[in-house]
Amino acid sequence: MKAELTFVSARSAALLIEDGGLYHTLKPYTLRLNGEDVCQTSRTVTSLYGLWPDTDYRLELLDEATLITTLTFRTAQESCTMNVRRFGAVGDGVHDDTAAIQAAILCCPEKGRVLIPAGEYRITPLFLKSHISLELQKGAALRLDTDRSRFPILPGMTQTTDEKDDYNLGSWEGNPLDCFAAAITGVNVEDVLLFGQGLIDGQADKADWWQNPKLRRGAWRGRLLFLNHCKNITVQGVVFANSPSWNLHPYFSDNLTFLDISVTAPANSPNTDGFDPESCQNVLLLGAHFSLGDDCIALKAGKIYMGCKHKRPCKHVRISHCLMENGHGGMTVGSEMAGGVCDVEVSDCLMRNTDRGLRIKTRRGRGKDAIIDGIVFRNVCMESVSAPFTVNCLYYCDPDGHTPWVQSRQPEPVDDTTPYVGSITFQNVTATGCGACAGYLLGLPEQPVERLTLENVAFTFNPSAKPMTPVMADGAEPCLNAGLVASYVKELVCRNVTMEGQQGDRLTLHQVGNVIWEE
Amino acid sequence: MDHLKQLTERFLSLHRGGERPEAGVLSACCALHAATGHPDCLAFAAGAMDRALSSGDTSLPGIQLVYLLDATGREAYADALHQLLENPPAEMPPHALPLYAAYEMRFHNMARIADVSARYARLASEERTPVETGWYALSLLDSIAVVNEQLYEHYRLLVDLFRKAVAALIPCHDGAASALLSCALMKGARMGVLNPEKYLSMGQKLFSALPQSADAAYLLAAAENLYHAAKEEKR
């Protein structure tokens, strides 16, 4: 049993309790701060709020009456608090509080805090500034306007004055296209903390963002948080709901920490991915909860233009102690991954009722820099996940997704447009109540998946599950309780893999090179 | 607008009764119809297209075939598109590439947009006179207008080729090439492909220095200039 403070700021802290639990601890604990009981927690990642800056704290962790451990820490300094009410924000749900909150942000000194106290704040998109924190206190809700005509647009590409390059602001599904600004947008900002127990509500359920979602109307749909070329950003505790499209979209940004956040959207809402870092490096996602209408997490690296131009992979990503529910994929890579995605570890997570656990999607046309490698799932539990892992290299996305070139099962030439899937590893994974299959891999005939390794993996099946088509590729059929189905894979290694209740063979293989099966 | 109307009528009278008009003439007709709504322009273009199609002429028209389909709704134009482009020929002149792009976007699920951009890329390396470069640049703009920006790598290739063509044309324009360049600059600025702050005024200055004429290149530029003049009037 281990406990450590993973984060301390001027006004908050985050505690990680590792007692073998995943998103929840195995038992409840009491937290006592400077001698006073502050809360009971059953979460492996627990946030503490309402701390005072530049102050020493003693945090005790108790199991009933027994002291488990004591941690001491000192909060960071803070220069000043800018309460948005003093800038004229009303917080009555009627008044447009955008100007007041934006003024507070722009006027906030370095190491200062913009404070949004409890209240209903109607806003249009807000923009961050470097070296500040922004606190949404408990009961504070930022409600995004439902009229897109009031939103600024981020131009996709603007040619530089010397006409030698472009300046990229907007992005849509991996291309540098005009998009509406997010509820909170950061462009070239650094050293920012967005935290608190408040809510950012995109109100897309009350607007028209989810109608005709594939049509560009004015610009492409915005997000709730868009970070463009930012660094050293932390987001703690905030609840994100009802985004027009993807919820959190860090883009070409580095050194990002997301702790104890919650992201929700209705199950039938289009493209409401939870957390989509794109071409980002050094990303930590700890103690997050997702329940929404598309992939919970999707690691991205652009489509071929951006991938080829910048060659910037999404890499060094750690996802831990999270709960992914109800989405299409628990942790997805792609389909926009033209810059590559590598060195990703998902550990101590619980996936529940998602269509898929690990979901890798790519296609011809993503380019030769589209390299997926070093993906590891370790100590992950999947409950009622229909297909625990899928790899689809014939994903029928984009306007030309169903064309013969993208969908052909005949080998095409390996060239500058061909993606590569390297090493994928599952260790200590239990998947109970599987529906469609244990796993479904569909590589490219001309560039098969390099290696899938399963070690200490146990699959059990739900005979009452509904059939599901495990991958979105032309010709893929629905499955029910199938074992591991693999096509166009170089090496499949299974050590201590058990399957109970599958229908048919545990392995259905087509053009799989080397198979190692050890009991 | 009155000047333009007079020039249009002179243009039509020059070309009426002719054999198969050049692609540039049809292009000017359709542009004038789009800019002015002059019904005779549409009638002239439709008549010329009908004669070409019924004569069994298999050489490819320009994107005016799609313009006529949209303006008139005639099935015959859709049938002609399928006949001409279900199996596109190995070589296509620049004026026909926007038609190919439009066909792919509208009727063929974008299956061969990569071929469209590859053909333009091959043409880019060919030697051309300034006038030919001008028509090539306008052809690129017509394709840029129809290719879905979400196929960004192809869309962007066309944009980059257009910008290069304009850059090559600016120092060496003369005569008809000047009219084509002014049209390309004004239309490129209007479409956001060129920086309007720099290139719109350049195009408008160039246009205002041109002698009035009833030739296709001038009328294309005049039609384009009308968009910007109308915008100025609204201000």
Side-chain angles (χ1 to χ4, degrees):
Chain A
M1 197 287 191
K2 217 166 60 165
E4 64 176 290
L5 282 158
T6 62
F7 176 73
V8 176
S9 71
R11 298 274 182 173
S12 67
L15 174 70
L16 171 62
I17 300 170
E18 293 191 287
D19 68 350
L22 301 175
Y23 182 72
H24 294 105
T25 48
L26 296 181
K27 58 169 90 171
Y29 298 93
T30 300
L31 300 183
R32 184 176 291 165
L33 199 59
N34 286 359
E36 198 176 314
D37 286 3
V38 289
C39 67
Q40 276 231 315
T41 184
S42 298
R43 292 275 315 277
T44 49
V45 177
T46 302
S47 291
L48 299 167
Y49 298 102
L51 306 181
W52 198 257
D54 202 17
T55 301
D56 289 318
Y57 284 93
R58 188 178 77 256
L59 175 65
E60 292 164 290
L61 179 69
L62 296 103
D63 172 5
E64 293 184 345
T66 307
L67 179 66
I68 306 290
T69 190
T70 302
L71 301 165
T72 57
F73 63 97
R74 186 175 182 83
T75 47
Q77 291 181 333
E78 178 187 286
S79 59
C80 200
T81 286
M82 305 272 98
N83 188 323
V84 298
R85 300 283 187 146
R86 293 197 65 199
F87 285 79
V90 178
D92 63 356
V94 175
H95 190 260
D96 184 338
D97 288 325
T98 307
I101 297 173
Q102 190 64 72
I105 291 171
L106 290 174
C107 295
C108 188
E110 275 199 22
K111 293 195 180 166
R113 172 181 67 143
V114 173
L115 175 61
I116 302 178
E120 294 279 322
Y121 300 88
R122 246 189 77 221
I123 60 159
T124 52
L126 295 165
F127 288 76
L128 292 170
K129 195 181 80 165
S130 294
H131 307 298
I132 63 165
S133 65
L134 175 59
E135 181 175 6
L136 286 165
Q137 284 193 324
K138 192 170 185 175
L142 298 180
R143 307 271 184 200
L144 195 58
D145 202 301
T146 55
D147 179 357
R148 70 176 70 203
S149 71
R150 305 187 64 230
F151 282 45
I153 293 171
L154 300 177
M157 288 295 218
T158 302
Q159 214 180 8
T160 52
T161 304
D162 64 5
E163 298 179 16
K164 289 186 178 149
D165 205 342
D166 298 286
Y167 180 57
N168 170 220
L169 277 171
S171 174
W172 175 252
E173 294 191 339
N175 281 320
L177 301 176
D178 299 352
C179 67
F180 289 105
I184 299 197
T185 297
V187 179
N188 295 315
V189 299
E190 59 178 295
D191 183 31
V192 171
L193 168 63
L194 168 64
F195 74 111
Q197 297 169 282
L199 166 69
I200 299 175
D201 180 4
Q203 299 209 109
D205 55 336
K206 299 178 178 67
D208 63 357
W209 298 109
W210 295 340
Q211 295 156 25
N212 295 311
K214 292 299 184 185
L215 276 187
R216 173 186 163 145
R217 288 182 286 160
W220 297 103
R221 291 177 279 152
R223 284 112 249 191
L224 290 188
L225 177 67
F226 180 54
L227 301 170
N228 184 338
H229 285 83
C230 297
K231 59 182 180 182
N232 306 330
I233 309 292
T234 300
V235 179
Q236 179 190 16
V238 177
V239 177
F240 297 86
N242 300 314
S243 176
S245 66
W246 300 348
N247 279 268
L248 281 67
H249 185 201
Y251 178 75
F252 285 80
S253 296
D254 299 335
N255 306 330
L256 311 173
T257 301
F258 293 80
L259 304 164
D260 189 22
I261 61 169
S262 179
V263 187
T264 64
N268 62 352
S269 53
N271 315 114
T272 50
D273 293 13
F275 179 64
D276 286 11
E278 182 167 5
S279 295
C280 294
Q281 300 181 14
N282 302 323
V283 180
L284 173 63
L285 177 66
L286 193 58
H289 173 233
F290 300 93
S291 175
L292 32 75
D294 208 305
D295 296 320
C296 296
I297 298 165
L299 307 183
K300 296 187 184 277
K303 287 183 180 163
I304 192 167
Y305 180 84
M306 293 299 275
C308 193
K309 179 172 175 160
H310 296 286
K311 300 189 197 317
R312 199 170 203 276
C314 196
K315 67 179 185 182
H316 309 321
V317 180
R318 298 292 178 265
I319 296 164
S320 200
H321 294 289
C322 296
L323 169 59
M324 297 80 150
E325 293 188 286
N326 307 324
H328 295 172
M331 208 288 291
T332 295
V333 177
S335 74
E336 307 90 321
M337 34 62 76
V341 176
C342 53
D343 185 24
V344 176
E345 183 175 296
V346 177
S347 61
D348 302 296
C349 288
L350 172 61
M351 296 178 186
R352 182 188 291 154
N353 211 37
T354 56
D355 292 342
R356 303 162 190 85
L358 169 65
R359 181 186 192 194
I360 290 179
K361 6 179 214 180
T362 184
R363 45 153 283 179
R364 295 182 179 106
R366 287 297 183 253
K368 63 176 171 36
D369 299 306
I371 296 170
I372 295 175
D373 200 15
I375 311 296
V376 176
F377 264 41
R378 185 172 290 127
N379 197 35
V380 171
C381 185
M382 300 188 197
E383 295 172 359
S384 301
V385 170
S386 187
F389 66 92
T390 64
V391 176
N392 179 10
C393 297
L394 298 171
Y395 184 57
Y396 54 51
C397 60
D398 301 341
D400 61 339
H402 291 283
T403 56
W405 175 64
V406 174
Q407 292 298 321
S408 172
R409 306 291 176 108
Q410 297 303 313
E412 295 283 329
V414 175
D415 60 18
D416 286 351
T417 66
T418 314
Y420 170 82
V421 179
S423 145
I424 303 163
T425 304
F426 267 36
Q427 283 176 341
N428 307 329
V429 175
T430 57
T432 58
C434 301
C437 56
Y440 197 104
L441 288 97
L442 182 56
L444 288 176
E446 68 270 19
Q447 182 120 282
V449 172
E450 195 70 39
R451 185 182 308 107
L452 171 67
T453 306
L454 306 178
E455 291 179 346
N456 307 322
V457 180
F459 300 98
T460 61
F461 292 84
N462 173 7
S464 307
K466 289 188 190 134
M468 184 189 81
T469 307
V471 296
M472 292 162 74
D474 288 353
E477 297 289 330
C479 300
L480 178 62
N481 294 171
L484 178 51
V485 181
S487 304
Y488 314 113
V489 178
K490 279 189 189 165
E491 188 171 71
L492 175 61
V493 179
C494 298
R495 297 194 176 97
N496 190 25
V497 174
T498 61
M499 277 187 216
E500 209 176 292
Q502 87 275 3
Q503 294 178 22
D505 296 333
R506 60 187 180 188
L507 295 179
T508 304
L509 307 177
H510 171 70
Q511 296 201 26
V512 174
N514 187 27
V515 180
I516 298 170
W517 184 280
E518 294 172 6
E519 302 285 348
Chain B
M1 179 68 150
D2 286 337
H3 267 312
L4 185 56
K5 218 173 150 188
Q6 284 168 11
L7 286 170
T8 302
E9 274 154 21
R10 206 168 112 210
F11 167 78
L12 289 172
S13 67
L14 272 176
H15 293 285
R16 258 187 208 111
E19 288 294 318
R20 187 197 161 98
E22 293 169 7
V25 170
L26 281 187
S27 184
C29 258
C30 293
L32 286 165
H33 179 256
T36 66
H38 198 317
D40 286 355
C41 293
L42 184 65
F44 177 88
M49 186 65 72
D50 291 346
R51 282 193 300 278
L53 294 175
S54 62
S55 72
D57 186 343
T58 56
S59 56
L60 286 165
I63 199 165
Q64 298 76 43
L65 181 55
V66 171
Y67 184 88
L68 289 170
L69 170 63
D70 289 342
T72 65
R74 287 182 57 200
E75 278 299 312
Y77 295 138
D79 293 341
L81 269 168
H82 290 297
Q83 272 169 14
L84 290 166
L85 288 166
E86 251 168 19
N87 297 299
E91 299 296 328
M92 268 195 213
H95 77 258
L97 288 177
L99 184 71
Y100 184 22
Y103 177 78
E104 289 301 307
M105 292 303 304
R106 206 183 278 214
F107 296 109
H108 201 224
N109 203 22
M110 301 167 244
R112 291 177 298 210
I113 288 296
D115 186 39
V116 173
S117 59
R119 287 173 188 250
Y120 271 114
R122 284 196 295 275
L123 285 172
S125 57
E126 288 179 7
E127 294 247 351
R128 270 184 294 272
T129 64
V131 168
E132 287 166 343
T133 302
W135 287 114
Y136 170 72
L138 291 181
S139 161
L140 278 161
L141 277 183
D142 284 342
S143 289
I144 289 164
V146 299
V147 171
N148 188 326
E149 65 174 358
Q150 289 182 274
L151 300 171
Y152 191 79
E153 65 274 28
H154 302 300
Y155 171 87
R156 184 54 193 259
L157 175 65
L158 302 182
V159 166
D160 289 343
L161 289 173
F162 169 75
R163 288 173 178 166
K164 279 194 185 124
V166 162
L169 199 49
I170 285 174
C172 63
H173 59 83
D174 60 63
S178 287
L180 294 169
L181 174 60
S182 80
C183 181
L185 292 173
M186 289 188 286
K187 190 168 181 180
R190 174 164 65 90
M191 288 171 61
V193 174
L194 293 176
N195 182 345
E197 199 177 354
K198 177 176 175 182
Y199 291 105
L200 176 58
S201 57
M202 191 188 288
Q204 286 173 320
K205 271 193 197 123
L206 193 54
F207 175 73
S208 61
L210 293 171
Q212 286 188 11
S213 145
D215 76 38
Y218 179 85
L219 286 167
L220 270 174
E224 186 57 39
N225 187 56
L226 197 62
Y227 285 110
H228 298 290
K231 224 166 141 185
E232 281 296 322
E233 244 175 73
K234 273 188 193 157
R235 280 210 202 109

